[in-house]
Amino acid sequence: MPRPQSDRPWLFRTYAGHSTAAASNALYRSNLAKGQTGLSVAFDLPTQTGYDSDHSLARGEVGKVGVPIAHLGDMRTLFDGIPLEDMNTSMTINATAPWLLALYVAVAEEQGADVARLQGTVQNDIIKEYLSRGTYICPPRPSLRMITDVAAYTREHMPKWNPMNVCSYHLQEAGATPEQELAYALATAVAVLDDLRGKVPAEAFPAMVGRISFFVNAGIRFVTEMCKMRAFTELWDEITRDRYGVEDPKYRRFRYGVQVNSLGLTEQQPENNVYRILIEMLAVTLSKNARARAVQLPAWNEALGLPRPWDQQWSLRMQQILAYETDLLEFGDLFDGNPAVAAKVEELKEGARAELRQIEAMGGAVEAIAYMKGRLVEANADRLARIESGETVVVGVNRWTETEPSPLTTGPDAILKVDEAAERDQIARLREWRAGRDETAVRTALEELRRVAAEGGNIMPPSIAAAKAGATTGEWGEVVRGVFGQYRAPTGVSSAPSNRTEQLDEVRKAVDAASARLGRRLKLAVAKPGLDGHSNGAEQIAARARDCGMDFVYHGIRETPEEIVETLCRERPHVLGLSILSGSHIPLVHAVLDEMKTRGVADIPVVVGGIIPDDDARALKDAGVARIYTPKDFELNRIMLDVVALAEETALVAN
């Protein structure tokens, strides 16, 4: 009997990029040879935030969480030997999306590609950057304008390109409930489409609705997550039909890619993460009517550091086995008509609609940023409290913690480390690029970019011209900062304590007693040096300090060592906590410690949190750091008690 006709599988991707364009190019070509069917490019933080690799804020961040792309030469190297006309490329880029797309177009034209045939996606979702990820540059309104500039440009010149990828992924990473993830992502899409409607002809608008895609997260509660995806498809169909009058069902289709949840990957017993990743993948593949169009899976060891090529291959093979060895793609939707599924989907939709009504009443997603940010911080605090109390079981973390040593995490090459020489090499090539270009052509192109940005024209044509002239990422960023201004998003941590009181009595008594002995309320300063925008940990430390009765200072992301130490001089906290999750902890902590010595506040003890390997932890302690916290340190109350003890020890020594 012949086997049934199978559906085509989703795109297989691996989110990748590090150190240099040349090293990343070699990784991409290797992954494509192993059966990967699409590229997913990770850019480093300077590239994401519009700085060149030699900018002071880029110190220690170059090539750490992705590939540095400073100019057209870097982009050429990144895609050397990879025909872009035949590729489907996803670029995880937001604030600098117009610029990176401009560089991509310029390289494609150099390759002789027909730009109209290019396929792929720029994430280009700034609103979620204010809520969760932090790689924004400009205020919300001009950022929204640049999103829709990209969309309008692609409609005319790149009809197969997805100009915006509404990213709810980081919302879940920031603690969003399924209802919040649904509502905040859909509200973002509505804000973009409302703005875009004035930039494209009415007859072209339905097709543009059809080009908006989504990038979602799938957590470990995979039945709920599968129902969430069905709710997404039904709510999107409802919004596009009722709000925008889109009649063609193909333009109302919910098109999404997914990376499964990295927040739930554990440093303890990291081999368990393989099962978590597999289960989470099922949530976005089992239901045919809500199946992802592209899937990228994290590596099992991402809670420890950068994955090696072998680790990425292991995740790729997981997708291939499900798609090609099982019979999943031979069947229709497995859940249609299931009453339990239908009831859960309706419950999620009703919760999301309630949130959407609240956001709409505030004037839409842009106006509701502070509201949404505060809701996420509180939801994440609830999530962490459930793990601390044991209500939420995390295997190997708060239950069944006994373990055999893992052979997967032993040996000097168990975790990939970016060569420190890569930053020096990148900076040298950047300076060589600047020295060899036509300066007059660059200045002329940047002045035209400035004029168009100021006068309200589409940002894409002058960005492409600047890319071809040889301008750099930092120069493009400097222009948009100059025209649109910079922005500091709300932290979401209010000064008013929450009503969360469980298990806090002991810590509150300790804080009160220490404050009495210190002669003033114990104060904790929390800071995020460098360009790392992963603020969830810093927010939760600040919120827990508040709820424990401490005074706290937290200004949000992206502070220089000088700004952090200026706060220490002004506020005189008893302890400083630094949160760094980009892998740049060594240079950034040293920079802060050096500045503290220069300004005479080296007596304040410093604690550091991040994904910090044991060797680096020892080096930081040798440099004078008092405590190191990594993802395994999930008990925030214990950290608060450590802060109390440090403050008292330091005061005792001083006296």
Side-chain angles (χ1 to χ4, degrees):
M1 180 176 176
R3 297 183 67 179
Q5 181 67 38
S6 293
D7 291 337
R8 290 178 59 188
W10 52 90
L11 282 171
F12 303 155
R13 285 188 171 132
T14 304
Y15 184 52
H18 64 82
S19 62
T20 66
S24 298
N25 171 262
L27 178 61
Y28 296 162
R29 293 209 273 184
S30 172
N31 284 345
L32 289 169
K34 293 172 182 174
Q36 188 171 299
T37 53
L39 293 177
S40 183
V41 181
F43 296 98
D44 74 353
L45 288 174
T47 305
Q48 292 184 51
T49 50
Y51 292 104
D52 282 336
S53 302
D54 58 353
H55 192 280
S56 60
L57 275 172
R59 178 174 49 188
E61 305 278 20
V62 177
K64 284 286 170 49
V65 301
V67 58
I69 299 295
H71 48 73
L72 184 60
D74 283 341
M75 194 64 106
R76 282 184 196 133
T77 302
L78 186 67
F79 293 112
D80 181 45
I82 300 174
L84 297 185
E85 189 172 305
D86 301 330
M87 191 52 52
N88 190 305
T89 304
S90 172
M91 294 192 285
T92 303
I93 197 71
N94 296 285
T96 54
W99 175 244
L100 271 296
L101 182 58
L103 290 171
Y104 190 87
V105 168
V107 168
E109 289 183 350
E110 287 183 350
Q111 290 185 356
D114 179 356
V115 171
R117 294 186 50 157
L118 295 179
Q119 296 185 72
T121 305
V122 277
Q123 192 168 99
N124 204 20
D125 177 357
I126 298 299
I127 291 177
K128 75 94 174 48
E129 295 298 316
Y130 303 127
L131 299 179
S132 54
R133 181 60 185 81
T135 66
Y136 53 80
I137 296 176
C138 302
R141 279 292 166 195
S143 295
L144 182 62
R145 170 241 170 127
M146 286 193 282
I147 291 173
T148 53
D149 278 357
V150 169
Y153 179 86
T154 59
R155 182 202 70 81
E156 188 172 355
H157 301 283
M158 305 170 68
K160 295 185 175 183
W161 193 270
N162 300 318
M164 200 258 182
N165 196 226
V166 182
C167 182
S168 70
Y169 175 85
H170 289 289
L171 301 179
Q172 188 178 127
E173 297 282 296
T177 66
E179 293 87 349
Q180 289 171 341
E181 188 180 344
L182 286 162
Y184 298 174
L186 292 169
T188 296
V190 165
V192 170
L193 289 176
D194 284 356
D195 194 69
L196 178 61
R197 195 152 38 172
K199 291 186 177 182
V200 300
E203 65 274 13
F205 186 71
M208 287 307 300
V209 173
R211 295 313 303 172
I212 299 295
S213 61
F214 290 74
F215 186 73
V216 306
N217 201 327
I220 194 65
R221 292 171 58 81
F222 85 100
V223 176
T224 297
E225 293 294 301
M226 183 272 294
C227 292
K228 180 188 76 181
M229 298 321 307
R230 290 173 70 95
F232 252 136
T233 64
E234 294 177 21
L235 286 168
W236 184 240
D237 184 77
E238 183 180 298
I239 289 169
T240 53
R241 183 191 66 234
D242 298 346
R243 187 182 184 99
Y244 299 113
V246 177
E247 296 179 359
D248 191 334
K250 75 178 180 182
Y251 294 145
R252 302 201 307 263
R253 188 179 304 138
F254 185 78
R255 302 160 59 252
Y256 77 99
V258 65
Q259 170 158 320
V260 306
N261 186 274
S262 291
L263 178 68
L265 301 183
T266 63
E267 181 181 0
Q268 304 95 314
Q269 301 180 25
E271 60 277 3
N272 296 343
N273 294 330
V274 175
Y275 307 127
R276 294 185 176 106
I277 293 166
L278 172 60
I279 290 167
E280 290 164 352
M281 178 174 60
L282 296 179
V284 295
T285 53
L286 286 180
S287 178
K288 180 178 179 179
N289 293 339
R291 183 172 292 150
R293 293 170 63 94
V295 177
Q296 61 189 43
L297 302 180
W300 66 280
N301 55 353
E302 286 191 16
L304 305 177
L306 283 174
R308 301 156 297 183
W310 184 88
D311 305 313
Q312 293 187 335
Q313 174 186 301
W314 199 7
S315 288
L316 174 62
R317 294 293 182 253
M318 198 180 298
Q319 294 199 58
Q320 291 168 327
I321 290 167
L322 179 64
Y324 293 115
E325 293 192 23
T326 78
D327 58 355
L328 174 67
L329 298 180
E330 297 170 11
F331 291 89
D333 198 291
L334 306 177
F335 301 99
D336 283 352
N338 183 305
V341 168
K344 184 63 178 178
V345 170
E346 286 305 312
E347 176 190 323
L348 292 171
K349 286 164 62 178
E350 280 308 304
R353 288 191 187 107
E355 283 281 356
L356 282 166
R357 285 192 294 270
Q358 178 67 41
I359 294 166
E360 189 77 17
M362 292 179 168
V366 170
E367 285 72 18
I369 284 171
Y371 162 78
M372 292 189 287
K373 179 66 175 178
R375 292 272 287 163
L376 289 174
V377 170
E378 288 306 307
N380 204 18
D382 289 342
R383 181 188 67 84
L384 288 172
R386 288 193 298 272
I387 294 173
E388 280 188 272
S389 69
E391 178 185 346
T392 295
V393 174
V394 183
V395 175
V397 173
N398 61 5
R399 290 279 295 276
W400 304 294
T401 55
E402 302 79 8
T403 182
E404 296 295 327
S406 171
L408 295 173
T409 59
T410 58
D413 299 320
I415 298 295
L416 177 67
K417 289 189 176 182
V418 174
D419 185 353
E420 295 303 323
E423 181 169 337
R424 295 192 296 273
D425 176 60
Q426 170 68 13
I427 291 172
R429 284 183 290 101
L430 170 61
R431 291 173 177 168
E432 183 181 352
W433 174 267
R434 289 198 194 109
R437 66 188 183 177
D438 182 337
E439 251 345 279
T440 301
V442 171
R443 295 302 142 201
T444 299
L446 290 173
E447 188 53 44
E448 176 64 6
L449 174 66
R450 185 176 290 107
R451 182 192 69 77
V452 170
E455 294 179 3
N458 192 298
I459 204 80
M460 281 301 299
S463 295
I464 294 171
K468 292 178 178 178
T472 68
T473 297
E475 290 164 340
W476 185 90
E478 186 178 354
V479 169
V480 299
R481 285 182 178 90
V483 174
F484 300 134
Q486 298 194 68
Y487 182 72
R488 184 171 287 280
T491 66
V493 185
S494 75
S495 57
S498 72
N499 58 6
R500 198 174 297 104
T501 59
E502 287 186 37
Q503 301 180 317
L504 291 184
D505 288 347
E506 178 190 355
V507 189
R508 285 175 172 171
K509 288 177 183 177
V511 170
D512 287 343
S515 298
R517 286 189 287 270
L518 293 167
R520 62 187 175 101
R521 181 57 49 180
L522 196 158
K523 181 181 286 189
L524 171 67
V526 179
K528 286 194 64 63
L531 297 176
D532 170 35
H534 285 102
S535 59
N536 302 336
E539 291 157 3
Q540 293 307 314
I541 290 292
R544 185 61 61 89
R546 173 201 66 196
D547 291 347
C548 290
M550 297 183 195
D551 283 344
F552 75 95
V553 184
Y554 175 54
H555 297 308
I557 64 170
R558 218 180 297 171
E559 289 193 289
T560 65
E562 293 76 15
E563 289 170 332
I564 292 168
V565 176
E566 179 60 34
T567 296
L568 299 184
C569 295
R570 184 176 62 253
E571 299 283 347
R572 293 302 303 184
H574 296 95
V575 177
L576 168 64
L578 300 176
S579 172
I580 307 165
L581 287 119
S582 63
S584 303
H585 38 268
I586 293 288
L588 289 175
V589 170
H590 276 284
V592 172
L593 293 174
D594 290 345
E595 185 68 14
M596 289 174 69
K597 290 175 185 174
T598 300
R599 297 292 301 274
V601 289
D603 57 318
I604 298 174
V606 177
V607 301
V608 178
I611 300 175
I612 302 174
D614 290 343
D615 289 347
D616 289 358
R618 284 189 285 271
L620 290 175
K621 287 184 176 179
D622 289 344
V625 172
R627 299 282 191 282
I628 304 290
Y629 300 103
T630 68
K632 71 177 182 297
D633 299 299
F634 67 95
E635 296 175 298
L636 298 190
N637 286 349
R638 185 178 65 79
I639 295 175
M640 294 299 108
L641 290 171
D642 285 352
V643 169
V644 171
L646 274 175
E648 293 203 285
E649 288 169 13
T650 304
L652 187 64
V653 170
N655 292 330

